[in-house]
PDB file of all heavy atoms in Angstrom:
ATOM      1  N   CYS A 240     -60.706  75.322  -4.692  1.00 89.00           N
ATOM      2  CA  CYS A 240     -59.904  76.077  -5.660  1.00 89.00           C
ATOM      3  C   CYS A 240     -59.243  75.100  -6.609  1.00 89.00           C
ATOM      4  O   CYS A 240     -58.596  74.135  -6.168  1.00 89.00           O
ATOM      5  CB  CYS A 240     -58.856  76.922  -4.914  1.00 89.00           C
ATOM      6  SG  CYS A 240     -57.723  77.785  -6.030  1.00 89.00           S
ATOM      7  N   GLU A 241     -59.357  75.342  -7.892  1.00 88.00           N
ATOM      8  CA  GLU A 241     -58.779  74.434  -8.885  1.00 88.00           C
ATOM      9  C   GLU A 241     -57.258  74.491  -8.920  1.00 88.00           C
ATOM     10  O   GLU A 241     -56.608  73.609  -9.463  1.00 88.00           O
ATOM     11  CB  GLU A 241     -59.351  74.740 -10.277  1.00 88.00           C
ATOM     12  CG  GLU A 241     -59.076  76.143 -10.743  1.00 88.00           C
ATOM     13  CD  GLU A 241     -59.750  76.454 -12.088  1.00 88.00           C
ATOM     14  OE1 GLU A 241     -60.653  75.703 -12.482  1.00 88.00           O
ATOM     15  OE2 GLU A 241     -59.377  77.453 -12.712  1.00 88.00           O
ATOM     16  N   HIS A 242     -56.697  75.534  -8.310  1.00 88.00           N
ATOM     17  CA  HIS A 242     -55.228  75.689  -8.303  1.00 88.00           C
ATOM     18  C   HIS A 242     -54.607  75.130  -7.035  1.00 88.00           C
ATOM     19  O   HIS A 242     -53.531  74.510  -7.076  1.00 88.00           O
ATOM     20  CB  HIS A 242     -54.842  77.171  -8.415  1.00 88.00           C
ATOM     21  CG  HIS A 242     -55.334  77.809  -9.668  1.00 88.00           C
ATOM     22  ND1 HIS A 242     -54.765  77.596 -10.922  1.00 88.00           N
ATOM     23  CD2 HIS A 242     -56.383  78.675  -9.879  1.00 88.00           C
ATOM     24  CE1 HIS A 242     -55.403  78.293 -11.829  1.00 88.00           C
ATOM     25  NE2 HIS A 242     -56.397  78.975 -11.227  1.00 88.00           N
ATOM     26  N   THR A 243     -55.239  75.346  -5.884  1.00 89.00           N
ATOM     27  CA  THR A 243     -54.633  74.985  -4.609  1.00 89.00           C
ATOM     28  C   THR A 243     -55.369  73.870  -3.870  1.00 89.00           C
ATOM     29  O   THR A 243     -54.827  73.285  -2.953  1.00 89.00           O
ATOM     30  CB  THR A 243     -54.554  76.204  -3.680  1.00 89.00           C
ATOM     31  OG1 THR A 243     -55.907  76.637  -3.365  1.00 89.00           O
ATOM     32  CG2 THR A 243     -53.795  77.338  -4.344  1.00 89.00           C
ATOM     33  N   GLY A 244     -56.619  73.636  -4.252  1.00 90.00           N
ATOM     34  CA  GLY A 244     -57.402  72.622  -3.551  1.00 90.00           C
ATOM     35  C   GLY A 244     -58.074  73.157  -2.282  1.00 90.00           C
ATOM     36  O   GLY A 244     -58.809  72.429  -1.607  1.00 90.00           O
ATOM     37  N   ARG A 245     -57.813  74.428  -1.945  1.00 92.00           N
ATOM     38  CA  ARG A 245     -58.421  75.001  -0.727  1.00 92.00           C
ATOM     39  C   ARG A 245     -59.927  75.148  -0.910  1.00 92.00           C
ATOM     40  O   ARG A 245     -60.417  75.373  -2.008  1.00 92.00           O
ATOM     41  CB  ARG A 245     -57.811  76.374  -0.439  1.00 92.00           C
ATOM     42  CG  ARG A 245     -56.312  76.399  -0.218  1.00 92.00           C
ATOM     43  CD  ARG A 245     -55.885  77.853  -0.044  1.00 92.00           C
ATOM     44  NE  ARG A 245     -54.468  78.069  -0.244  1.00 92.00           N
ATOM     45  CZ  ARG A 245     -53.598  78.352   0.719  1.00 92.00           C
ATOM     46  NH1 ARG A 245     -54.007  78.391   1.950  1.00 92.00           N
ATOM     47  NH2 ARG A 245     -52.312  78.555   0.430  1.00 92.00           N
ATOM     48  N   ILE A 246     -60.632  75.060   0.206  1.00 92.00           N
ATOM     49  CA  ILE A 246     -62.086  75.242   0.191  1.00 92.00           C
ATOM     50  C   ILE A 246     -62.372  76.749   0.174  1.00 92.00           C
ATOM     51  O   ILE A 246     -61.874  77.476   1.042  1.00 92.00           O
ATOM     52  CB  ILE A 246     -62.734  74.573   1.413  1.00 92.00           C
ATOM     53  CG1 ILE A 246     -62.446  73.067   1.385  1.00 92.00           C
ATOM     54  CG2 ILE A 246     -64.230  74.839   1.433  1.00 92.00           C
ATOM     55  CD1 ILE A 246     -62.745  72.369   2.685  1.00 92.00           C
ATOM     56  N   ILE A 247     -63.169  77.190  -0.775  1.00 93.00           N
ATOM     57  CA  ILE A 247     -63.471  78.630  -0.904  1.00 93.00           C
ATOM     58  C   ILE A 247     -64.866  78.886  -0.358  1.00 93.00           C
ATOM     59  O   ILE A 247     -65.821  78.185  -0.702  1.00 93.00           O
ATOM     60  CB  ILE A 247     -63.382  79.091  -2.374  1.00 93.00           C
ATOM     61  CG1 ILE A 247     -62.027  78.724  -2.984  1.00 93.00           C
ATOM     62  CG2 ILE A 247     -63.605  80.595  -2.458  1.00 93.00           C
ATOM     63  CD1 ILE A 247     -61.927  79.025  -4.474  1.00 93.00           C
ATOM     64  N   VAL A 248     -64.962  79.904   0.501  1.00 93.00           N
ATOM     65  CA  VAL A 248     -66.271  80.255   1.079  1.00 93.00           C
ATOM     66  C   VAL A 248     -66.542  81.740   0.866  1.00 93.00           C
ATOM     67  O   VAL A 248     -65.631  82.540   0.670  1.00 93.00           O
ATOM     68  CB  VAL A 248     -66.314  79.920   2.596  1.00 93.00           C
ATOM     69  CG1 VAL A 248     -66.170  78.427   2.797  1.00 93.00           C
ATOM     70  CG2 VAL A 248     -65.247  80.684   3.366  1.00 93.00           C
ATOM     71  N   ASP A 249     -67.807  82.083   0.924  1.00 92.00           N
ATOM     72  CA  ASP A 249     -68.234  83.471   0.804  1.00 92.00           C
ATOM     73  C   ASP A 249     -67.674  84.294   1.974  1.00 92.00           C
ATOM     74  O   ASP A 249     -67.767  83.867   3.144  1.00 92.00           O
ATOM     75  CB  ASP A 249     -69.758  83.486   0.808  1.00 92.00           C
ATOM     76  CG  ASP A 249     -70.330  84.887   0.740  1.00 92.00           C
ATOM     77  OD1 ASP A 249     -69.598  85.807   0.342  1.00 92.00           O
ATOM     78  OD2 ASP A 249     -71.516  85.046   1.119  1.00 92.00           O
ATOM     79  N   ASN A 250     -67.113  85.461   1.692  1.00 91.00           N
ATOM     80  CA  ASN A 250     -66.497  86.249   2.765  1.00 91.00           C
ATOM     81  C   ASN A 250     -67.524  86.731   3.781  1.00 91.00           C
ATOM     82  O   ASN A 250     -67.216  86.848   4.982  1.00 91.00           O
ATOM     83  CB  ASN A 250     -65.722  87.440   2.189  1.00 91.00           C
ATOM     84  CG  ASN A 250     -66.614  88.426   1.459  1.00 91.00           C
ATOM     85  OD1 ASN A 250     -67.652  88.042   0.918  1.00 91.00           O
ATOM     86  ND2 ASN A 250     -66.216  89.682   1.431  1.00 91.00           N
ATOM     87  N   GLU A 251     -68.742  86.968   3.354  1.00 93.00           N
ATOM     88  CA  GLU A 251     -69.773  87.389   4.305  1.00 93.00           C
ATOM     89  C   GLU A 251     -70.143  86.234   5.231  1.00 93.00           C
ATOM     90  O   GLU A 251     -70.352  86.452   6.431  1.00 93.00           O
ATOM     91  CB  GLU A 251     -71.023  87.873   3.536  1.00 93.00           C
ATOM     92  CG  GLU A 251     -70.805  89.177   2.778  1.00 93.00           C
ATOM     93  CD  GLU A 251     -72.049  89.654   2.054  1.00 93.00           C
ATOM     94  OE1 GLU A 251     -73.096  88.958   2.182  1.00 93.00           O
ATOM     95  OE2 GLU A 251     -72.000  90.698   1.393  1.00 93.00           O
ATOM     96  N   LEU A 252     -70.194  85.028   4.690  1.00 92.00           N
ATOM     97  CA  LEU A 252     -70.485  83.861   5.532  1.00 92.00           C
ATOM     98  C   LEU A 252     -69.366  83.663   6.533  1.00 92.00           C
ATOM     99  O   LEU A 252     -69.611  83.343   7.711  1.00 92.00           O
ATOM    100  CB  LEU A 252     -70.640  82.621   4.654  1.00 92.00           C
ATOM    101  CG  LEU A 252     -70.883  81.291   5.410  1.00 92.00           C
ATOM    102  CD1 LEU A 252     -72.204  81.348   6.173  1.00 92.00           C
ATOM    103  CD2 LEU A 252     -70.887  80.103   4.436  1.00 92.00           C
ATOM    104  N   TYR A 253     -68.138  83.873   6.106  1.00 92.00           N
ATOM    105  CA  TYR A 253     -66.988  83.715   7.002  1.00 92.00           C
ATOM    106  C   TYR A 253     -67.100  84.722   8.165  1.00 92.00           C
ATOM    107  O   TYR A 253     -66.915  84.375   9.328  1.00 92.00           O
ATOM    108  CB  TYR A 253     -65.681  83.934   6.238  1.00 92.00           C
ATOM    109  CG  TYR A 253     -64.464  83.422   6.976  1.00 92.00           C
ATOM    110  CD1 TYR A 253     -63.847  82.236   6.619  1.00 92.00           C
ATOM    111  CD2 TYR A 253     -63.916  84.150   8.034  1.00 92.00           C
ATOM    112  CE1 TYR A 253     -62.712  81.765   7.293  1.00 92.00           C
ATOM    113  CE2 TYR A 253     -62.780  83.706   8.707  1.00 92.00           C
ATOM    114  CZ  TYR A 253     -62.200  82.511   8.335  1.00 92.00           C
ATOM    115  OH  TYR A 253     -61.104  82.042   9.009  1.00 92.00           O
ATOM    116  N   ALA A 254     -67.405  85.971   7.820  1.00 92.00           N
ATOM    117  CA  ALA A 254     -67.498  87.020   8.835  1.00 92.00           C
ATOM    118  C   ALA A 254     -68.623  86.740   9.814  1.00 92.00           C
ATOM    119  O   ALA A 254     -68.468  86.911  11.034  1.00 92.00           O
ATOM    120  CB  ALA A 254     -67.687  88.382   8.168  1.00 92.00           C
TER     121      ALA A 254
END
Side-chain angles (χ1 to χ4, degrees):
C240 175
E241 60 185 16
H242 300 285
T243 65
R245 301 176 198 251
I246 299 167
I247 306 175
V248 297
D249 178 19
N250 64 332
E251 292 182 1
L252 177 63
Y253 195 103

